[in-house]
Amino acid sequence: MQTTGWFFFTCIHSCRPTVSADNYYSHRFTRYIVVRNKPVHNHSGKARIKDIAERANVSPGTVDRVIHDRGEVSKKTREKVLRIIRELDFQPDVVASTLASKKSFRIAVLMPRADRSSRFWESPATGMDDALNEIGHFGVRMDHYWFDYFDRSEFVRQARQVLQNKPDGVIVAPVFSEEAGDFAGKTIQHSIPLVFINACIAQQPHLAFVGQDAQRSGMVAAKLMYFGLGDKPVLIVNFIHKKGNQAHILEREEGFRKQYISNNKKADTILHSLQIDTASQTLVNNILGETLKDRPDIQGIFVTNSRVHRVAAFLEKVNRQDIRLIGYDVTKENKVFLARDTIDFLIGQQPWEQGYKSVMALFNHLVLKKEPKKTQHLPIDIITRENIEDYHNNK
Amino acid sequence: MQTTGWFFFTCIHSCRPTVSADNYYSHRFTRYIVVRNKPVHNHSGKARIKDIAERANVSPGTVDRVIHDRGEVSKKTREKVLRIIRELDFQPDVVASTLASKKSFRIAVLMPRADRSSRFWESPATGMDDALNEIGHFGVRMDHYWFDYFDRSEFVRQARQVLQNKPDGVIVAPVFSEEAGDFAGKTIQHSIPLVFINACIAQQPHLAFVGQDAQRSGMVAAKLMYFGLGDKPVLIVNFIHKKGNQAHILEREEGFRKQYISNNKKADTILHSLQIDTASQTLVNNILGETLKDRPDIQGIFVTNSRVHRVAAFLEKVNRQDIRLIGYDVTKENKVFLARDTIDFLIGQQPWEQGYKSVMALFNHLVLKKEPKKTQHLPIDIITRENIEDYHNNK
DNA sequence: TGTATTTTCGTGGGCGCACACGAAAATTTT
DNA sequence: AAAATTTTCGTGTGCGCCCACGAAAATACA
């Protein structure tokens, strides 16, 4: 890749007109003339179907049939062609191929819509759009099937729609893990490649998973908390809707606990865990208020998802900004409290990248025929008041 | 983008054979027949050169000449064609265009080689390679012009080489800002688009800058330091080679100071700054040893570049791991100390992304004819022992 | 051995665009 | 008004691959 530069370029342009010695074969009867001493590759340095055909003494059509496994080729020729393909390391020209086939790929995206309760899913969607913009020329199309983050039945309905429409590839956010598992199973049956975004159902076969290592993100949070607090007691808050199924949120707590305990030299570190199943600020205030009355020694709070702004609002209300607060995701609400330093750190999931990379994974598979990395863990971003602007800048 | 899905796809495939009603024009004399009521777009939904030609009553060749501003078109026809192009919102098909033109673009990359003193530049190179892999089909080539990070004259020599070879686009790491400024000026003269990577010379016109906001990264470091230390004195260490010119490294210190002071409520925060111009560990030990003897109250050290591992080694030697240590970049050496918690945080620059995005910026400009974002600030990564694995995972 | 099938293959016409070539129209010169 | 230029334009070929069509070769059957 380093040495193909200037000289080579000159060569391309000056030599081209004289090199194209095509049509070595002309008729079925005369068969093909094997041209010895002819360079393996044509001027562009890459073997073409025509080159293969010449070498194999067959027509381009036959080579094409072999390449696409379209049958109608005798075993013997097939093998000869395959051998030569390997010999010349033939790689079909994606550009020409796209142009000729005019085939278009449809990617179905099954993910929560961004609503007032959380705008989180806006960013992945943007990332997907941006990716599509770069590769749309290859005939890749995208269809969105949105569902409400808390509406299990809508998920199921939309999933059914997706299957009915038989897309060429699927991206799914497995918010409801059981139903998503079913869905994943079915895509496999139809041999539709599937990419998990944001969370993963490891048991189900999939083309790729793009998202964060939940447990490790919890560990990072613990690290930050410990850095600021040392061996002081910490409260963990899970906002979990009882109908939702958020395995990866629990993993975050697990990671946090593991790390925090291992950091602490003293044995009496107190980690208190709290489940809150409500969106009402008043109720949150009550619950937290009582908890803090019970344990006035609590110096830090870790919230395992983006609803950390609820806790922040509470802390400001009771004037306890001294308590260290760490949560997830750069949302509009959280940004306000981060700016005021009530929230100390947010853990970011690089949502834009998640969208971008999921599309790219499918693109690589469908168009370029290259297998993407199966697990694409995104960096765990730590967002502070100071770096938040960059975070959104180029997304 | 959302609504082109299934139905449309069906349409493409079932309608295609019957739609292609070409050759509406046949001879110069008969002129072209204006077909009324014919749909604006062809079956694929996008206008082609041929469609323009029909509408304008000219031949495809003429349209082509207009599109490429190749002259030989009367003013009147030219304007008519342009009007119709706008009307139909014609966008040339990049795929077909690439295939037909067989033009190749050469990107010249002028950046430091990764050597034993720092492997940092390995990652951007990888990112570039990976990007090239995705877009190489469009005839994009890349040539590297490496220089030694400390060798100003080699930079100049290589820069001259680049200009001599007249590439179609340039990516440069402006390590020596004066010389890089000259170079940038010259690329402009030759109207070669230029992308700054890692650091930027804002005065020079450029297509894009991909890198970090240096000052803000210093602020983040300060935030972390303050989170752990509160109002305690901190030492800032700059490893600056006197011959090098690293404006952005000084910006990091500036950002750190600004933030640290604003965080502190007390006025007596001590920030002590130290310049070290040597690679020798022994000398580093001596200098740091004396400094710490002078000011035993120092509780944290901020190192403004990747040579933080020197300080870490010292701290371990004198058994002062209690001192908080923050530096830059995930290098092999730094990783060791991060794993042992001697280094508390590393600030990452997403080097892989820097490489990837610089190439993509040029690709967008050269091939897709879309202007990339001019300033692409990457997120400021905070790397801890806990999240370091992900950081390298998919790069 | 001759005919009907089935298998295996070659050919040709695109895909949308770039570009060279030469011919027609417009303009200038005699 | 005819000839010589210059300007403007249409046509044809090809980029590398896909795919439909039909024809030749191989096999089966009578």
Side-chain angles (χ1 to χ4, degrees), chain A residues 26 59 62 65 72 74 77 100:
Chain A
S26 57
S59 77
T62 303
R65 251 163 269 142
E72 311 198 347
S74 74
T77 16

Side-chain angles (χ1 to χ4, degrees), chain A residues 317-331:
Chain A
K317 189 163 181 294
V318 299
N319 226 344
R320 286 296 306 271
Q321 284 98 327
D322 62 297
I323 292 185
R324 312 294 174 117
L325 182 57
I326 299 178
Y328 279 81
D329 296 335
V330 180
T331 64

Side-chain angles (χ1 to χ4, degrees), chain A residues 337-350:
Chain A
F337 293 107
L338 191 70
R340 287 207 289 267
D341 244 4
T342 307
I343 296 178
D344 293 280
F345 295 101
L346 286 171
I347 295 188
Q349 309 191 53
Q350 306 221 117

Side-chain angles (χ1 to χ4, degrees), chain B residues 248-265:
Chain B
H248 70 293
I249 285 188
L250 297 177
E251 276 181 55
R252 289 171 178 173
E253 171 166 354
E254 200 184 315
F256 187 92
R257 285 179 171 277
K258 225 188 252 178
Q259 175 70 24
Y260 208 80
I261 290 168
S262 95
N263 263 145
N264 270 268
K265 276 85 197 174

Side-chain angles (χ1 to χ4, degrees), chain B residues 99-278:
Chain B
L99 179 61
S101 77
K102 287 282 89 186
K103 165 184 348 175
S104 68
F105 297 99
R106 285 169 309 113
I107 297 179
V109 182
L110 185 54
M111 70 182 196
R113 57 173 79 75
D115 54 13
R116 43 210 152 15
S117 102
S118 164
R119 311 205 69 75
F120 174 81
W121 288 96
E122 240 170 35
S123 297
T126 311
M128 290 177 182
D129 287 346
D130 292 352
L132 209 66
N133 241 315
E134 274 174 22
I135 61 168
H137 310 279
F138 288 95
V140 180
R141 304 269 173 281
M142 192 165 72
D143 298 311
H144 282 285
Y145 298 79
W146 306 102
F147 59 89
D148 186 288
Y149 190 78
F150 291 110
D151 188 342
R152 190 181 293 255
S153 80
E154 193 181 14
F155 176 87
V156 175
R157 251 178 297 138
Q158 291 287 49
R160 208 171 305 144
Q161 270 301 316
V162 171
L163 287 171
Q164 223 169 72
N165 291 349
K166 294 192 199 310
D168 302 290
V170 169
I171 299 173
V172 59
V175 173
F176 305 99
S177 54
E178 198 180 322
E179 288 77 2
D182 282 2
F183 173 70
K186 281 182 196 139
T187 61
I188 297 301
Q189 279 173 30
H190 298 238
S191 54
I192 300 172
L194 172 137
V195 173
F196 284 122
I197 186 172
N198 197 253
C200 184
I201 302 179
Q203 306 84 40
Q204 291 289 349
H206 52 274
L207 178 71
F209 159 57
V210 180
Q212 206 168 56
D213 184 328
Q215 185 166 324
R216 178 160 282 131
S217 79
M219 295 172 73
V220 173
K223 163 85 171 202
L224 288 170
M225 193 63 94
Y226 184 78
F227 194 72
L229 282 188
D231 307 316
K232 295 194 193 121
V234 169
L235 173 67
I236 300 170
V237 178
N238 286 307
F239 286 93
I240 298 187
H241 194 284
K242 57 174 167 271
K243 278 208 177 155
N245 187 325
Q246 286 108 331
H248 70 293
I249 285 188
L250 297 177
E251 276 181 55
R252 289 171 178 173
E253 171 166 354
E254 200 184 315
F256 187 92
R257 285 179 171 277
K258 225 188 252 178
Q259 175 70 24
Y260 208 80
I261 290 168
S262 95
N263 263 145
N264 270 268
K265 276 85 197 174
K266 306 183 189 163
D268 63 342
T269 307
I270 302 170
L271 288 169
H272 187 70
S273 181
L274 197 61
Q275 308 272 339
I276 302 184
D277 174 20
T278 176

Side-chain angles (χ1 to χ4, degrees), chain A residues 10 43 70 86 107 113 123 233 240 244 275 293 314 325 369 377 393:
Chain A
T10 313
H43 57 278
R70 226 178 309 114
R86 271 192 300 274
I107 296 180
R113 60 173 77 75
S123 296
I240 299 188
Q275 308 272 341
K293 208 185 294 169
F314 163 77
L325 182 57
K369 314 287 182 204
H377 274 158
N393 228 6

